[in-house]
Amino acid sequence: MPRHTHIAPYSGPAGGWGSAKSVTKYMAEQGVMGRGGPILAKQNKPDGFACVSCAWAKPVPPHTAEFCENGAKATFWELTNKRTTPAFFAEHTITELQSWSDHDLEDAGRLTTPMRYNPATDKYEAVGWETAFATIGRELAEIREQDPRRVVFYTSGRASLETAYMFQLLARLYGNNNLPDSSNMCHESTSVGLKESIGVPVGTVTLEDFDHADALFFFGQNVGSNSPRMLHQLQEASDRGATIVSFNPLCERGLERFINPQNPVQMLTGSETTISREYHQVRPGGDIAVVIGMCRYLFEEDRRSGGVLDHAFLAEHTQGMDAFRDFVMAQSWVDLERESGLSRASIEGAAKIYASAKAAMVVYGMGITQHKLGVQAVQMLVNLLLLRGNIGRLGAGICPVRGHSNVQGQRTVGIAEKPELVPLDKLEELYQFTAPREKGTSTVEACEGIIDGSIDAFVGLGGNFLRAVPDHSRMEKAWPNMRLTVQIATKLNRNHLFNGKTAFLLPCLGRIEKDRQASGEQTVTIEDSTAVIRKSKAMAEPASPDLRSEPCIVAGIAKATLPPNPNVPWDAWVGDYGLVRDAIAKTWPDTFADFNRRMHEPHGFRRPIAASSRKWATPSGKALFKLPKSLNASFDDGTDPNVLRLITLRSNDQFNTTVYGYSDRFRGIEGTRDVLLMNEKDMARFGIADGQTIGLSTATDDNVERSLGGLRVVKYNIPEGSCAGYYPECNVLIPLWQHAEESMVPAAKSVPVRIMR
Ligand SMILES: Nc1nc2c(c(=O)[nH]1)N[C@H]1C(S)=C(S)[C@@H](COP(=O)(O)OP(=O)(O)OC[C@H]3O[C@@H](n4cnc5c(=O)[nH]c(N)nc54)[C@H](O)[C@@H]3O)O[C@H]1N2
Ligand SMILES: Nc1nc2c(c(=O)[nH]1)N[C@H]1C(S)=C(S)[C@@H](COP(=O)(O)OP(=O)(O)OC[C@H]3O[C@@H](n4cnc5c(=O)[nH]c(N)nc54)[C@H](O)[C@@H]3O)O[C@H]1N2
Ligand SMILES: [Mo]
């Protein structure tokens, strides 16, 4: 269908009537007009289901409507009345489908039937569940005989705690820790950085802290598109007089101003809430320099007039402050200004707000984690907080905004490639087997293994791995060399069009759909960004009678693959997920004691986060100040004027690789995703006109050609020397080896590129 392209700056707020209209449009397009409304009313309610979009916390009592524009889209996308039946697959070859867009593939509708790829016809053909399991089991068992490390078990962050627990156990019984998940492309920089600095791999704040913070600092998180329900907390904070300061190369509308679509007075009068009092357009990769500059001001002010640093806290709770101060004081403002792209005055202005706040919070996202020094950038944010004792007290703390709705929880129940994060002894005791102790593959390592042929099989529990990872051309070429690929999914995506020699596409129930098993209708649990665990109760009828639940599919594969083990009751678990929760509670008695009862509490329950009460689970028992290796978090050193830093972005109309539509309303880009946002001065320098079509190539010297053409240049307010395009389209440009040093998160926010005409 031809689309009308319209590109012009957006002048409205986030939220508002645009948001209300957008929700209605999706309800109509996905054919859920009558059903959609009542279901939305239960979204994120204590007796309802947890939204399948982002992981932001769900307040109790909830707002009247505890959903947002993008959560509503995610719900309708799952509940759609469109279907990809065997008849659909009979009509289209896989080669033909490869020419479809990400949007069109998923928009074809929900998968209904287990399918097997037939290379002779180049089509997916229907297959029975038992045949599918038997074939998968036979293949996996044969590979296991040779070497169990040749299989990867990938998880996207949506599956429940129950499914995730069963899936990690499957991998370990199989014989490896190859359990990469979407977090490896996302907040792994957080898990590594925070663990080292403050002893916990997750954020320390709770929703209550939002009611008490006087200053909130946003670094590289686009709240209006990616966690819009948080705008409620920000609006309340702003109304209370708290100051919000944002650092972001782009002026993201949700960080600027907001009309609450659920507030009738605001809707009718058009009165907006100003979100950020100060907005600083930092250069991509420049946040380390920003924080060092802020800290420099704090150290100097404390020396001049005292009372700025929390010396008592620093003495009792931290280690390494002197070395950090020496490092900070040795940095020149010339360097800090160049690397951050901001003036000394604006950095000091932000530091003044920080210094005068009684309780301050730092909120951050992919703009921090997806860089070469992503882990170190996370640790700089911690340093900033530690200086004024802003961790472990009311209104203060660090708030990484997690992505997928249960991505944090999956790690909690054992989805981890790092064996030291998992109680393997306990698993051995419970299930009477010898657990693998060798480190497994992260996402990047799984890709390397697929490219170099050391991985024979891929089992994907959701997600769109091949599209989400870097280096598409190399990955798409290597993927079909695998012997077996198995995808458990709700909708067709591009990864499903690249298949191993034997390939299955297994359709599962989504979280909103009723899951009936032997003991009756099942409830599942998830963990949000603030470490609160709670139940999610489904309410829609399944998209097809032939769908199976994720636990059921994981158990089906496990039983067909592994020798019987009387200690692992796969069938009983599938019959009653409460028994899986009992197993989780036995594995982590401290976190999950009395799990089956506490999950029903209206607030759910928060798992213990030591740093939230100033207990530091680090080797020295203190919170650590860390030093950065460089002021610049990105791969390029910024000296070649022909190299631009490319940010890969999400639009307001996508959830990761799921493209709902082509309206990036807040950025004023309608009808197309094939754009490159550029600074006016760079355009003049390169002699490029607004609207001109150009291409990009990656500026690396590894002898791999990476390029992308057909991008329409859009003149945009973005720092000179940087540019921005959409993820996943731009992933073809990201070299697999350009990842965060300690966490291996692909460096998707500063890709060095050159313009091609
Ligand atoms: N609707 C919707 N919701 C989502 C998602 C979605 O795709 N759609 N995805 C989910 C997932 S898995 C995740 S991880 C989160 C992602 O949510 P976010 O963390 O918000 O991720 P992005 O939108 O990729 O980028 C965040 C922001 O970083 C800015 N940025 C880029 N480089 C830099 C930099 O160097 N410094 C600073 N300070 N800022 C920078 C960008 O301009 C952008 O505004 O959202 C989750 N929620
Ligand atoms: N360049 C660039 N690359 C990035 C990023 C970036 O900012 N820039 N962000 C990264 C981040 S933060 C992340 S988290 C990853 C995301 O990587 P993934 O999590 O792998 O990708 P998604 O797009 O979320 O996966 C969408 C697919 O999940 C399946 N699905 C949806 N719901 C369910 C369900 O309930 N069960 C099952 N089994 N399947 C389901 C559907 O088939 C759908 O097509 O991408 C990363 N890649
Ligand atoms: Mo993510």
Side-chain angles (χ1 to χ4, degrees), residues 254-271:
L255 288 164
E256 294 182 325
R257 50 210 169 87
F258 173 53
I259 288 191
N260 184 347
Q262 293 158 14
N263 176 331
V265 176
Q266 272 206 321
M267 288 293 272
L268 290 174
T269 59
S271 69

Side-chain angles (χ1 to χ4, degrees), residues 70-142:
N70 285 335
K73 281 183 206 167
T75 300
F76 303 148
W77 199 250
E78 180 164 314
L79 295 182
T80 180
N81 64 3
K82 303 179 191 178
R83 299 286 180 269
T84 44
T85 59
F88 169 90
F89 287 107
E91 249 176 68
H92 306 286
T93 63
I94 295 305
T95 308
E96 182 211 328
L97 290 170
Q98 283 178 357
S99 68
W100 288 31
S101 66
D102 294 306
H103 169 269
D104 291 353
L105 289 171
E106 283 210 33
D107 192 43
R110 288 287 300 275
L111 299 164
T112 61
T113 312
M115 308 298 290
R116 179 183 181 152
Y117 178 60
N118 180 351
T121 56
D122 189 30
K123 286 178 179 172
Y124 272 117
E125 292 164 2
V127 63
W129 280 105
E130 294 320 313
T131 312
F133 289 146
T135 314
I136 294 166
R138 199 165 51 239
E139 290 283 308
L140 286 177
E142 275 180 35

